[in-house]
């Protein structure tokens, strides 16, 4: 439920910037912890993509956050 609310917070234009920053932070923590959890459980022996996939999405999230800040400051 929290992830759905986070997606709505990022996509709806009228949401305050502070709420959007909390959503970005929450998704960042989730992606980092997913990568750590897959590494700790030994999923790298099965497929390295289990560890790399969340980090790729973290990179996309960071790029989105950078552009969000550029649009907000403009």
């Amino acid at each position: 439920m929290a992830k759905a609310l986070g997606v709505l917070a990022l996509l709806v234009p009228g949401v305050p910037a502070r709420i959007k920053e909390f959503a970005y932070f929450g998704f960042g923590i989730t992606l980092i912890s997913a990568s750590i959890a897959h590494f700790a459980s030994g999923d790298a022996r099965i497929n390295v993509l289990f560890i790399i996939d969340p980090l790729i999405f973290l990179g996309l999230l960071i790029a989105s956050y950078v552009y969000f800040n550029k649009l907000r400051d403009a």
Side-chain angles (χ1 to χ4, degrees):
M1 184 69 177
K3 290 179 186 173
L5 290 174
V7 168
L8 285 175
L10 293 179
L11 293 179
V12 174
V15 176
R18 179 67 106 192
I19 302 287
K20 289 185 183 226
E21 286 184 353
F22 277 114
Y24 276 113
F25 180 75
F27 284 126
I29 293 295
T30 301
L31 291 170
I32 291 169
S33 63
S35 183
I36 292 170
H38 282 294
F39 178 75
S41 68
D43 285 341
R45 285 179 266 140
I46 299 169
N47 193 351
V48 176
L49 288 178
F50 286 129
I51 297 170
I52 295 174
D53 277 348
L55 297 177
I56 291 170
F57 285 109
L58 179 65
L60 293 172
L61 184 75
I62 290 170
S64 172
Y65 182 71
V66 167
Y67 283 110
F68 165 69
N69 279 330
K70 284 185 179 183
L71 284 174
R72 189 177 65 170
D73 293 340

